[in-house]
Amino acid sequence: MRLRASCDLTFDITVPTPFILMLRPRSGANQWVAREEYNIKPVVPVFEFTDGYGNLCQRLVAPPGTFSVHTVAELMVADGVDRAPGAPFVNVEHLPDGVLCYLLPSRYCESDHFNEMAAEITSGQRLGYDQVAAIEAWLRSAFSYVPGSTSATLSAVEVNARQVGICRDLAHLGIALCRSLSIPARMVVGYLHDLEPMDLHAWFEAYVGDRWYTFDATQSALRGGYVALGYGRDAADVAVFNQFGPPSFATAQTVRVERLHD
């Protein structure tokens, strides 16, 4: 599937403000970046680095006034999402070093609070992929996915008490439940073709059967069209922008994802 994904952000800046952006997708196993466009107005020096999770990040200082960021990427992505019922649990001692950080509790995924709950949800399931699939199905049936229902980042414990949330919230709870079973899980932020309403999207991946698999409790059935911008332990690691100093919230944000045809 060939997609064009774009994001436009506008800010009203009052004082010179440092930003870290995460708006460049990288090529990998599930996506290939064929073309990119990245425009910033007014033009300022931009320095790119790769963070500890492999994400492409851009540093800059925005000057006072209207500041805008426009990004476009044309990508080849998978037509579907891989499923692997029965893929086995990987014992912790055999996990790759780079996966171990996704076993631990993090700011928004307090996995140490969910041991008994996760065991109940996955009771009778084969260890590994089938446990995560049971968690995904439980989230889909037990929670109401309501875009715009939360305005602040909630932790998994808080989401569990509310029984309603947005994509980020359900991903946090899914991650916490997986980690409580010693299954590595990480958050992904990016785009999804045909998402309603269109916006940036969040889902989670779990490491079973010696690779990462995609799970998304907000969708009735997984399909192709996912574009990853960033990976991390939770939302604190995958914000598409962080600013430092006096708060400068985006005054406008537009996301588009369209399918391209040869």
Side-chain angles (χ1 to χ4, degrees):
M1 182 185 300
R2 189 168 166 229
L3 299 177
R4 177 187 288 123
S6 65
C7 182
D8 290 275
L9 298 170
T10 302
F11 302 87
D12 286 333
I13 306 298
T14 57
V15 298
T17 301
F19 274 82
I20 296 178
L21 307 175
M22 191 185 294
L23 286 167
R24 284 193 63 204
R26 71 179 191 264
S27 296
N30 297 313
Q31 63 188 36
W32 174 259
V33 181
R35 188 183 74 84
E36 284 186 90
E37 181 181 333
Y38 202 130
N39 294 315
I40 293 173
K41 293 183 179 179
V43 176
V44 297
V46 179
F47 305 91
E48 186 162 88
F49 69 96
T50 303
D51 70 11
Y53 306 100
N55 304 312
L56 300 177
C57 302
Q58 303 81 47
R59 298 179 60 179
L60 58 86
V61 177
T66 300
F67 181 73
S68 63
V69 180
H70 169 71
T71 67
V72 179
E74 292 185 8
L75 311 99
M76 293 297 298
V77 302
D79 290 333
V81 172
D82 288 346
R83 291 297 210 179
F89 173 84
V90 181
N91 290 333
V92 172
E93 63 269 28
H94 297 142
L95 288 169
D97 295 343
V99 170
L100 295 176
C101 66
Y102 298 111
L103 285 172
L104 304 175
S106 58
R107 179 177 178 182
Y108 296 116
C109 299
E110 312 100 323
S111 52
D112 48 336
H113 289 249
F114 290 98
N115 298 78
E116 292 184 9
M117 183 175 168
E120 291 175 3
I121 293 169
T122 62
S123 177
Q125 301 293 331
R126 181 176 177 180
L127 301 186
Y129 186 97
D130 294 357
Q131 290 178 298
V132 186
I135 289 169
E136 179 190 51
W138 177 81
L139 288 168
R140 191 174 288 129
S141 63
F143 286 77
S144 297
Y145 167 54
V146 182
S149 60
T150 59
S151 58
T153 300
L154 303 176
S155 74
V157 168
E158 294 168 317
V159 172
N160 187 50
R162 289 169 56 96
Q163 300 289 298
V164 64
I166 61 175
C167 55
R168 176 191 62 211
D169 302 327
L170 272 62
H172 280 158
L173 185 51
I175 290 167
L177 289 164
C178 288
R179 290 179 187 168
S180 72
L181 299 170
S182 296
I183 295 174
R186 65 185 182 183
M187 190 166 192
V188 193
V189 68
Y191 309 108
L192 175 58
H193 180 241
D194 280 344
L195 179 68
E196 292 292 342
M198 180 53 65
D199 202 344
L200 291 163
H201 191 48
W203 60 97
F204 74 97
E205 293 183 347
Y207 191 90
V208 291
D210 292 326
R211 57 161 286 191
W212 292 103
Y213 287 93
T214 295
F215 296 89
D216 186 351
T218 71
Q219 304 301 302
S220 58
L222 289 190
R223 60 191 190 278
Y226 285 86
V227 176
L229 285 173
Y231 301 86
R233 295 166 301 175
D234 56 30
D237 295 330
V238 293
V240 296
F241 70 87
N242 281 301
Q243 60 84 31
F244 304 88
S248 299
F249 302 104
T251 57
Q253 176 176 306
T254 303
V255 174
R256 298 183 181 88
V257 182
E258 57 183 316
R259 186 165 186 174
L260 303 177
H261 299 279
D262 294 330

